Amino acid sequence: MSEIILEGVLFVALVAAVGTLLYLVVLYFTPVGVRLRQTRNRRRIDRAADLVCPIHGPRAASDLVRLTSGETLCPDCYKEIAHG
């Protein structure tokens, strides 16, 4: 009985290893992988750029004010706009 369970576990491990190997080959050796890495890098750069106010400099993500439109604004710019 234990041989059957062991064979099942080894088969699942083999399927997982082959799937992981296939994923890594697609990610690192095909144009699809290049496009996925470029998209990931672009999103990371865009998020970092959103944290920098052109007037007041870099801010932490928790300091930003989210407007009703979904845009984020630095707290100093918000004070200047709201209170004149």
Side-chain angles (χ1 to χ4, degrees):
M1 180 70 173
S2 64
E3 292 87 14
I4 295 172
I5 294 173
L6 181 63
E7 184 181 355
V9 169
L10 289 175
F11 178 74
V12 170
L14 176 68
V15 169
V18 169
T20 302
L21 183 62
L22 181 66
Y23 172 75
L24 291 175
V25 166
V26 167
L27 192 63
Y28 289 107
F29 297 112
T30 64
V32 173
V34 172
R35 183 169 296 214
L36 289 172
R37 286 194 310 272
Q38 288 174 346
T39 303
R40 190 180 323 135
N41 289 339
R42 191 176 306 116
R43 285 182 185 155
R44 185 176 47 99
I45 291 169
D46 287 344
R47 278 193 301 264
D50 286 342
L51 297 177
V52 177
C53 176
I55 299 169
H56 301 106
R59 297 288 179 166
S62 61
D63 293 341
L64 298 178
V65 177
R66 184 164 303 276
L67 302 175
T68 56
S69 65
E71 261 185 273
T72 56
L73 201 61
C74 91
D76 296 330
C77 289
Y78 181 76
K79 287 177 189 173
E80 291 173 4
I81 291 171
H83 301 296

